Amino acid sequence: SQQGEEDPQALSIQEGENATMNCSYKTSINNLQWYRQNSGRGLVHLILIRSNEREKHSGRLRVTLDTSKKSSSLLITASRAADTASYFCATVPDSNYQLIWGAGTKLIIKP
Amino acid sequence: ETGVTQSPTHLIKTRGQQVTLRCSSQSGHNTVSWYQQALGQGPQFIFQYYREEENGRGNFPPRFSGLQFPNYSSELNVNALELDDSALYLCASMTDSYNEQFFGPGTRLTVL
């Protein structure tokens, strides 16, 4: 079973707009990670945020974590057509080091 | 490029057959995980190996088995294939710090 749930399931925006995706999880975590997947191929790690961090930035990516609400958000600013992909959050529980995945958000950037 | 490779890229099998999928991890990555990803869904954890020993398993039957070798390669074996086994199979390796995972491109398995 999957712990994470991404919201929305699909998002379509115009190039240049910001895209926000949300992730909720169920158990306490060591860290939460966001990955990107193009066309059903391998996943690429984007950013990791630890349970004691609240916000993290990497280029056009901004991730927030609210452990009290067991939720995280991924913001992509100034979106580009090349950002079109599926985005997944994955959590590492306190109890082990196995990543637990959500079902993903499919992001489409219209040129 | 993550430095993780998988073979074959695509595979077609018939129900009841057996299949072996292969993964080559980055040197120094002692942990390898295998995932099954059905179309439109997130990856499902199959199992994880650390230094050639299985140290975690998801909700998959025993006909899914694996091996990890000292040269950082690993295998996923599936016996008695079923139609529902059709999926993208991903392997991922990581260092002992258990941070990010490095994924291979996957093997697309189709069971007819």
Side-chain angles (χ1 to χ4, degrees), chain B residues 75-86:
Chain B
E75 291 179 355
L76 164 65
N77 299 287
V78 187
N79 294 323
L81 283 167
E82 301 176 359
L83 297 179
D84 285 349
D85 296 334
S86 295

Side-chain angles (χ1 to χ4, degrees), chain A residues 1-2 30-31 33 35 37 39-45 48 50 88 92 97-104, chain B residues 9-10 35 37 40-45 48 55-57 88 90 94 98-101 103-106 108:
Chain A
S1 62
Q2 296 180 150
N30 176 285
N31 67 69
Q33 304 175 29
Y35 287 78
Q37 185 176 39
S39 302
R41 301 303 286 170
L43 291 105
V44 175
H45 181 265
L48 180 153
R50 301 193 184 282
F88 294 89
V92 177
Y97 291 107
Q98 299 165 12
L99 284 179
I100 302 176
W101 299 79
Chain B
T9 304
H10 295 88
Y35 297 89
Q37 186 179 23
Q41 296 185 21
Q44 295 284 334
F45 174 73
Q48 179 172 286
N55 74 340
R57 190 176 184 92
L88 181 68
L90 297 160
M94 62 180 170
Y98 295 104
N99 289 326
E100 68 177 285
Q101 292 198 346
F103 280 83
R108 173 77 59 190

Side-chain angles (χ1 to χ4, degrees), chain B residues 32-83:
Chain B
V32 66
S33 302
W34 283 89
Y35 297 89
Q36 179 194 68
Q37 186 179 23
L39 201 61
Q41 296 185 21
Q44 295 284 334
F45 174 73
I46 302 175
F47 45 58
Q48 179 172 286
Y49 279 79
Y50 175 74
R51 293 185 185 269
E52 302 157 55
E53 296 284 334
E54 184 180 300
N55 74 340
R57 190 176 184 92
N59 190 26
F60 280 81
R63 59 189 185 86
F64 285 78
S65 63
L67 287 171
Q68 186 187 26
F69 303 102
N71 65 352
Y72 302 107
S73 67
S74 61
E75 291 179 355
L76 164 65
N77 299 287
V78 187
N79 294 323
L81 283 167
E82 301 176 359
L83 297 179

Side-chain angles (χ1 to χ4, degrees), chain A residues 4-20:
Chain A
E5 292 184 7
E6 281 94 339
D7 166 50
Q9 289 186 330
L11 180 62
S12 180
I13 61 174
Q14 291 294 138
E15 193 168 25
E17 293 181 339
N18 295 342
T20 299

